Amino acid sequence: MNVFEQLRRQKKQIKVSMGHGTAPVIFFFLYTDENGAFIEVKDEKGKAISPSYLQYTGEVRTVLKSIEQITGKSDFTIDWENPDNKIYLHEHPYLLLPLIHSKKLVNHKQEPLGMETSVAQLTASVTRSEEKFLQSKIILQHNGEMITDFAFLNETHAWSFSNNLIYEVDDVGPGFAKIPLFDARFPEIDLSKYLSLLYSYVSNVALVFEDYMLTISDDKIAAVPLLAFERIDADNSLYVRVGQTLPGTEVDFLDEYDMQCFAQVNELEKIVYIKNIEQQITEDNIAKVKKLATKHLPREGKKKTVDILQEGDLFILPEEIAAAFIYTDLPQLMASFVIVGAEKLRQYKINTIPPKLNINLKSGIDFLEGDASLSFGDENINLFDAISQYQKNRYIILSNGSHALVNEVYMQKLQRLFRKKNNKVQISFFDLPLVEDMIDETISGKTFAFARDIFDGFNKLKDEKLKLPKVNAKLRPYQEQGYKWLKYLYEKKLGGCLADDMGLGKTLQTITLLQHVYQKEKTPSLIVMPKSLIFNWENELKKFAPNLRYYTFYGNNRDVPEAMACNIILTTYAMMRIGIEQLKEQEFCYVVLDESQNIKNANTQASKAVMLLQCRHRLALSGTPVENNLGELYSLFRFINPAMFGSAENFNTNYLLPVQKNNDAGATNELRRKIFPFILRRLKKDVLKELPDKIEQTLYVEMSEEQTRFYEQRRKYYKDNIEQQIAMKGIQQSQFFVFQALNELRQIACIPESVTNGKIEGPKLELLVEQLMDAVANRHKVLVFANFLDALELIGEKLNEQQVEYVTMTGATKDRQKLVDRFQNDTNCKVFLLTLKTGGTGLNLTAADMVFIFDPWWNKAAENQAIDRAHRIGQDKKVFSYKIITKGTIEEKMLQLQEKKSELFNAIISADGASLKSFSQDDVDFILGK
């Protein structure tokens, strides 16, 4: 026998029973248990069988061959976690697609299972179940459908029991088996804990929680060293444990759970930040503590009577060592370690009794001034002396030699609230409610009575009955409440920010207030806004309060004496900045900032100019009072209530850094309480019952000078030539030229960039982007319809610059359903750009609750069809639609035709706008006339 014959692999002989020449009919039954989803091979009667793969073809053969290989291997091993040798799909993920393609995959009822071709989104939906409790439900979102009864087969596929479909999802990671655990009810206070665990175990899961936005951050949150004094035993030995913790969490949070991520819930900005945890090297901290404690052992040469015992992270310090360690080393460690259990140190002359705040204040203009001290039993220490000692030593030395360990949060609060002025304490009027919480009722009753009345007044507004001033509108209930709040601020000489969601009528509520003010007031008010809103303010004033005389301080129309003779002066941020030398000399009743986020950067020229304006009352209007960070909040309140926060440096030290960097719950709650009375914010979802199903509004913009000249030049050209064409050839032979004229004029009015190679920019795009950024910041999903492809491209470029995720659909788009699925299911995809014809039929886009018509269509019915893409069956929101019109152009004429001459319009323009039906000389004069 040669070498080849000896080394030839011996083939295993397989006996195949063909059963009268035919292979048995088989099915792959899919089951689930606590370990996951598994399959069993059974015949059509549900009896388990083990057929040979050689009897079959195609995907069935592939699956059976794989099963035979799997079971063959398991014959020689014992799996104590899977003693029945079940074939789990998460252990063999390559089986899933052949199983589906075999058409033999069934559930326990032998019902066939199919597969969806588009990707579903795993989502955690968190709602309030009752007071102070939250309920989380893990769902699959697919094309607007919410699927709740499902199980994960592996990291990328889930099976819905109700419709027997398997859905592909983005990889959720190896923790997919833990997902059912997150269908949970838990205390509201544990939201951060819940989300930290969820995102530590599961990847690619979206979050739906009220109006919060989820941000997966690249930043890391560092754990901090922990020193826990656990107990003192009968021999007075001190038990000290070294560990680590996260700011703002339970002390043993990191020890109890296996976590890689931490969820910071920023209640002010309504953002959940998911950050990776940067763990401490505990061994280094243990070594540091050991080194400090060891130096207090008796020196060499002396009899060693005591020693330090160590067991892992636990130290047992004898009484003599413990005392020296506490007085000498604890203050140093307190600077970098979190200290827990300090109350157990009393026998070492450590005072842990909470101090008592004593104050004696006299009222000033914006501040109260006087004396303040902290009492430790019978001993009083000046407040600033106590703060100074604490900052230096992390404790306060009392006259009896004991060390007072004061709660760090308490001391930080004192530092935030009290300022030093000429050896006296000074406190802002706006901080009085916070200080009142820290002192006893006897003192607060005398000192804060006047302030309490003002702050309590906010709570009584809801039940107050008052007569509304006369405006040409019926205010909705929430708008009446907004007017009450504005009027109260006016009466108390306090500034505020009306921060209602866009579309809820901030302008109308403000005009109602001004109508009340100007029943007696003689001094004019200045309203500052982006230039894109000038015409809308003019129209709203004419419509709702025609008796109020207004002056538009803009362009070449900037006569200050003439403006000061009116009730209302409208201007833009740019014009206000340019004219500040004149305007700062005037006295205004109100200064109102619309879209007040324009002063979000305190260092800009516009922000500095606003602070030079002299006025008795201040009001800000904004749908997004804080867009990016709390520095914007400071800039806003520096305008509306300048005495509230002091300098930018004070604000950064007291609030911005503690809240944004350290997630300091105390500073966050304090800041929220401080600003709460002075920001009125209602979202659409808060007032749904008071809104009609569909709300339509028209926004106007004015052409730039270059655009106006170019438009007029082309309008005159076409008007003259069309008249000549009609006179020579008649209307029927002139249709194409007329249509060309109308189309070009619409382009110039809408996107002059496309017909001038970008040399002329139109204001309409700027207005749209402003509105979209406002909508996105408020977590809305938006449809934008445009007729020109160039318009969609320009809008897309602007959204890219702002890093807003969007999808685009035109007539050339092929895989439309994929785009629809992404917009409907992906919480990060906020905007859908569509041509009017493409989006007019056959689409269900109920995730959107806002619609923008970028340029008006010839046929209003086509616009209504587009709006109805969002407003249709399945929509649980109110839909707001906005039409953007360029004043003084063919767009205004089209709007007039839509509203007043629909019969004429339908007679001259076909349904799709592609051709003209009939056209008279009068029609030409109307549409192309001046």
Side-chain angles (χ1 to χ4, degrees):
M1 184 179 292
N2 63 34
V3 64
F4 301 109
E5 290 174 343
Q6 291 187 59
L7 295 178
R8 181 178 291 149
R9 181 180 297 153
Q10 299 300 309
K11 293 185 179 178
K12 185 178 179 181
Q13 299 299 314
I14 302 174
K15 294 182 180 179
V16 180
S17 175
M18 301 303 291
H20 303 292
T22 60
V25 176
I26 65 165
F27 293 95
F28 302 109
F29 281 73
L30 183 60
Y31 300 99
T32 61
D33 63 15
E34 66 276 7
N35 295 317
F38 61 94
I39 58 169
E40 291 183 0
V41 183
K42 295 184 178 182
D43 62 18
E44 54 191 335
K45 293 182 179 180
K47 181 182 177 181
I49 58 175
S50 301
S52 169
Y53 72 88
L54 295 175
Q55 299 173 265
Y56 300 89
T57 60
E59 300 292 359
V60 173
R61 180 187 178 101
T62 301
V63 175
L64 287 174
K65 185 175 182 181
S66 296
I67 291 174
E68 190 171 302
Q69 292 173 341
I70 294 167
T71 54
K73 291 179 182 178
S74 64
D75 288 342
F76 302 100
T77 60
I78 298 176
D79 187 346
W80 297 106
E81 294 183 0
N82 183 18
D84 297 327
N85 291 325
K86 293 176 180 176
I87 301 173
Y88 287 101
L89 291 180
H90 67 272
E91 294 178 352
H92 312 284
Y94 55 87
L95 287 176
L96 185 56
L97 288 181
L99 280 167
I100 294 168
H101 294 151
S102 74
K103 304 294 179 66
K104 295 292 184 178
L105 186 62
V106 298
N107 65 10
H108 68 286
K109 296 180 181 179
Q110 208 165 317
E111 297 168 337
L113 274 60
M115 182 167 179
E116 269 290 346
T117 55
S118 54
V119 177
Q121 172 68 60
L122 182 66
T123 302
S125 177
V126 181
T127 56
R128 298 189 185 277
S129 59
E130 56 185 275
E131 186 178 3
K132 296 185 179 180
F133 275 87
L134 300 174
Q135 177 69 50
S136 178
K137 185 67 179 172
I138 305 298
I139 62 176
L140 287 178
Q141 286 185 295
H142 183 264
N143 196 21
E145 181 185 5
M146 305 296 181
I147 302 163
T148 58
D149 57 335
F150 64 92
F152 268 83
L153 306 179
N154 54 33
E155 298 178 14
T156 56
H157 291 85
W159 167 29
S160 170
F161 308 133
S162 59
N163 59 18
N164 282 325
L165 286 175
I166 294 174
Y167 294 86
E168 183 182 357
V169 297
D170 290 329
D171 193 335
V172 298
F176 69 91
K178 306 283 187 186
I179 288 175
L181 299 176
F182 292 100
D183 276 345
R185 177 179 174 271
F186 54 90
E188 183 178 352
I189 196 172
D190 287 339
L191 177 61
S192 175
K193 182 177 181 179
Y194 170 87
L195 294 176
S196 296
L197 290 168
L198 173 64
Y199 286 94
S200 290
Y201 280 95
V202 187
S203 303
N204 291 314
V205 54
L207 175 66
V208 176
F209 174 54
E210 297 178 344
D211 56 333
Y212 281 74
M213 183 174 69
L214 177 71
T215 298
I216 307 296
S217 175
D218 292 330
D219 295 339
K220 292 185 177 181
I221 182 167
V224 293
L226 170 71
L227 201 64
F229 298 109
E230 294 192 341
R231 66 190 179 96
I232 298 175
D233 66 15
D235 296 328
N236 290 333
S237 293
L238 179 63
Y239 287 63
V240 184
R241 189 175 298 277
V242 180
Q244 60 180 321
T245 188
L246 286 173
T249 67
E250 299 165 3
V251 172
D252 52 0
F253 191 38
L254 282 179
D255 291 333
E256 286 191 347
Y257 299 99
D258 181 18
M259 292 193 308
Q260 293 79 44
C261 299
F262 180 67
Q264 286 187 338
V265 182
N266 190 313
E267 297 180 5
L268 281 169
E269 298 175 300
K270 299 293 184 183
I271 297 177
V272 175
Y273 294 98
I274 305 299
K275 300 180 178 181
N276 289 322
I277 299 173
E278 187 176 359
Q279 301 268 5
Q280 284 280 319
I281 302 175
T282 307
E283 291 76 11
D284 291 350
N285 294 322
I286 292 173
K288 181 177 183 180
V289 172
K290 184 176 182 179
K291 182 178 180 181
L292 291 172
T294 302
K295 72 180 182 182
H296 300 295
L297 289 169
R299 296 180 182 177
E300 292 183 17
K302 293 186 178 181
K303 186 178 180 181
K304 193 172 184 180
T305 57
V306 294
D307 203 354
I308 297 172
L309 298 180
Q310 180 185 358
E311 186 175 327
D313 59 0
L314 178 67
F315 291 93
I316 303 175
L317 306 182
E319 183 177 8
E320 302 92 319
I321 306 297
F325 174 77
I326 290 168
Y327 280 102
T328 306
D329 303 317
L330 183 57
Q332 173 189 342
L333 292 174
M334 288 177 73
S336 56
F337 279 66
V338 171
I339 307 298
V340 177
E343 67 279 357
K344 297 181 176 68
L345 303 179
R346 292 178 185 173
Q347 68 187 71
Y348 294 101
K349 287 191 176 183
I350 297 295
N351 186 325
T352 59
I353 298 175
K356 177 183 176 184
L357 176 64
N358 308 298
I359 56 175
N360 180 20
L361 302 174
K362 294 181 180 179
S363 178
I365 298 175
D366 292 320
F367 294 90
L368 285 82
E369 297 180 1
D371 300 304
S373 64
L374 291 180
S375 294
F376 297 87
D378 296 331
E379 184 171 354
N380 280 351
I381 297 180
N382 177 275
L383 177 63
F384 290 113
D385 289 343
I387 290 175
S388 177
Q389 280 200 58
Y390 180 82
Q391 289 175 331
K392 180 179 179 181
N393 304 318
R394 313 301 288 179
Y395 60 81
I396 298 166
I397 301 176
L398 304 181
S399 58
N400 63 3
S402 64
H403 292 194
L405 298 183
V406 188
N407 182 281
E408 183 178 18
V409 173
Y410 182 83
M411 294 302 295
Q412 288 174 343
K413 187 170 184 177
L414 291 176
Q415 292 176 63
R416 285 194 295 266
L417 297 178
F418 290 93
R419 306 170 196 174
K420 189 174 184 180
K421 184 180 180 182
N422 300 326
N423 294 321
K424 297 286 185 180
V425 297
Q426 186 183 69
I427 183 170
S428 166
F429 161 82
F430 300 101
D431 288 326
L432 293 182
L434 301 172
V435 175
E436 190 174 21
D437 292 343
M438 304 177 74
I439 58 179
D440 64 43
E441 294 183 5
T442 305
I443 299 175
S444 69
K446 296 176 183 178
T447 307
F448 299 130
F450 80 99
R452 189 187 297 113
D453 287 343
I454 291 177
F455 286 104
D456 284 348
F458 286 103
N459 299 323
K460 298 173 183 176
L461 286 177
K462 186 175 181 180
D463 301 321
E464 182 183 349
K465 297 192 177 184
L466 52 81
K467 184 179 179 182
L468 291 170
K470 185 178 179 181
V471 290
N472 297 335
K474 171 66 177 173
L475 269 64
R476 301 184 184 110
Y478 73 86
Q479 292 173 329
E480 290 187 10
Q481 192 63 26
Y483 166 70
K484 289 181 185 178
W485 179 78
L486 291 169
K487 180 173 176 286
Y488 186 76
L489 291 176
Y490 168 70
E491 292 169 346
K492 301 301 179 183
K493 295 182 172 58
L494 294 167
C497 175
L498 182 57
D500 284 346
D501 205 347
M502 60 186 300
L504 294 187
K506 295 186 288 292
T507 306
L508 174 57
Q509 293 172 73
T510 305
I511 290 173
T512 305
L513 170 69
L514 294 172
Q515 186 78 310
H516 165 74
V517 169
Y518 283 99
Q519 291 175 0
K520 297 179 180 179
E521 181 62 56
K522 302 299 181 186
T523 308
S525 291
L526 179 69
I527 304 178
V528 189
M529 67 202 71
K531 66 179 180 180
S532 56
L533 297 182
I534 284 282
F535 285 107
N536 293 293
W537 267 97
E538 290 179 344
N539 290 336
E540 301 279 88
L541 283 168
K542 291 173 186 175
K543 180 178 178 181
F544 297 128
N547 60 300
L548 291 179
R549 293 174 294 113
Y550 72 87
Y551 181 92
T552 302
F553 190 85
Y554 183 72
N556 296 324
N557 195 43
R558 286 184 284 159
D559 187 307
V560 173
E562 187 177 347
M564 295 299 291
C566 296
N567 304 126
I568 309 295
I569 303 171
L570 306 177
T571 193
T572 67
Y573 286 96
M575 289 296 106
M576 179 270 299
R577 190 180 70 248
I578 293 170
I580 191 61
E581 290 301 322
Q582 293 174 290
L583 294 175
K584 72 178 184 180
E585 303 299 325
Q586 310 304 319
E587 176 70 31
F588 298 106
C589 172
Y590 255 104
V591 169
V592 180
L593 302 185
D594 196 1
E595 301 292 349
S596 61
Q597 62 269 24
N598 280 271
I599 64 161
K600 64 185 179 182
N601 186 339
N603 296 318
T604 62
Q605 293 299 315
S607 185
K608 292 176 180 178
V610 161
M611 298 306 298
L612 298 175
L613 297 171
Q614 300 180 56
C615 59
R616 301 195 301 274
H617 305 277
R618 298 164 185 256
L619 176 63
L621 308 176
S622 177
T624 53
V626 181
E627 288 184 319
N628 296 309
N629 59 64
L630 294 185
E632 298 169 12
L633 190 71
Y634 170 75
S635 184
L636 172 65
F637 273 88
R638 186 184 69 153
F639 165 70
I640 58 179
N641 287 313
M644 180 175 283
F645 291 118
S647 68
E649 183 180 358
N650 286 338
F651 179 82
N652 292 344
T653 301
N654 295 334
Y655 295 108
L656 190 145
L657 291 177
V659 171
Q660 291 195 329
K661 185 176 181 180
N662 302 323
N663 198 36
D664 187 323
T668 300
N669 292 332
E670 185 181 309
L671 181 57
R672 188 193 307 110
R673 283 191 60 188
K674 197 166 178 176
I675 67 174
F676 176 76
F678 308 103
I679 292 186
L680 182 60
R681 180 158 177 77
R682 279 84 54 93
L683 301 175
K684 288 173 183 172
K685 66 181 182 63
D686 300 326
V687 294
L688 282 180
K689 294 180 180 178
E690 301 176 32
L691 298 174
D693 288 340
K694 189 163 55 173
I695 300 169
E696 299 185 27
Q697 185 177 350
T698 302
L699 305 175
Y700 291 94
V701 294
E702 184 182 26
M703 289 188 290
S704 64
E705 292 183 9
E706 287 180 310
Q707 187 181 7
T708 301
R709 285 195 297 270
F710 184 50
Y711 181 86
E712 278 302 299
Q713 176 188 343
R714 300 304 291 168
R715 183 191 67 80
K716 291 177 182 177
Y717 167 79
Y718 278 120
K719 185 175 185 298
D720 294 343
N721 278 274
I722 286 174
E723 288 174 349
Q724 293 176 18
Q725 287 268 349
I726 292 174
M728 294 171 56
K729 300 179 181 179
I731 187 64
Q732 292 300 322
Q733 298 297 318
S734 305
Q735 284 189 21
F736 179 78
F737 190 63
V738 171
F739 187 74
Q740 178 184 340
L742 300 180
N743 207 46
E744 184 180 328
L745 290 176
R746 286 176 59 219
Q747 279 187 287
I748 298 172
C750 177
I751 43 167
E753 295 90 338
S754 67
V755 290
T756 63
N757 293 320
K759 294 178 180 178
I760 298 178
E761 295 183 358
K764 184 182 280 196
L765 185 60
E766 178 184 350
L767 173 61
L768 175 67
V769 173
E770 287 175 359
Q771 298 291 316
L772 290 180
M773 296 309 298
D774 209 4
V776 168
N778 283 294
R779 284 56 158 173
H780 294 291
K781 287 208 169 196
V782 188
L783 306 181
V784 179
F785 290 97
N787 292 293
F788 300 108
L789 293 178
D790 287 346
L792 294 182
E793 290 180 8
L794 287 170
I795 297 166
E797 289 174 6
K798 294 294 183 182
L799 292 177
N800 286 330
E801 290 174 9
Q802 299 294 333
Q803 297 183 326
V804 174
E805 292 190 32
Y806 68 96
V807 288
T808 304
M809 183 184 293
T810 68
T813 303
K814 293 183 179 179
D815 194 353
R816 299 188 179 191
Q817 191 57 48
K818 185 176 181 180
L819 298 181
V820 171
D821 288 346
R822 186 184 172 203
F823 181 74
Q824 290 285 96
N825 300 324
D826 186 348
T827 54
N828 294 318
C829 184
K830 297 295 186 183
V831 181
F832 204 142
L833 306 179
L834 310 95
T835 57
L836 203 58
K837 292 179 184 178
T838 305
T841 56
L843 297 179
N844 189 350
L845 299 169
T846 54
D849 63 349
M850 300 187 73
V851 180
F852 285 89
I853 306 293
F854 187 61
D855 50 305
W857 191 234
W858 301 113
N859 190 313
K860 185 170 175 60
E863 290 181 355
N864 291 336
Q865 280 185 335
I867 294 169
D868 287 342
R869 296 310 96 210
H871 181 258
R872 62 189 308 175
I873 296 172
Q875 175 61 279
D876 57 354
K877 312 175 188 73
K878 308 291 184 177
V879 176
F880 285 68
S881 70
Y882 300 88
K883 188 182 298 183
I884 307 178
I885 299 295
T886 306
K887 287 182 69 69
T889 71
I890 190 173
E891 291 189 342
E892 257 196 315
K893 299 294 180 71
M894 291 167 62
L895 195 63
Q896 293 172 32
L897 287 172
Q898 283 184 350
E899 295 172 352
K900 300 178 181 179
K901 301 188 177 185
S902 58
E903 291 183 8
L904 164 66
F905 208 67
N906 289 333
I908 63 173
I909 303 294
S910 65
D912 63 0
S915 61
L916 304 174
K917 290 181 180 177
S918 62
F919 211 73
S920 68
Q921 188 66 50
D922 290 340
D923 302 333
V924 173
D925 291 340
F926 176 75
I927 294 177
L928 296 179
K930 185 68 174 168

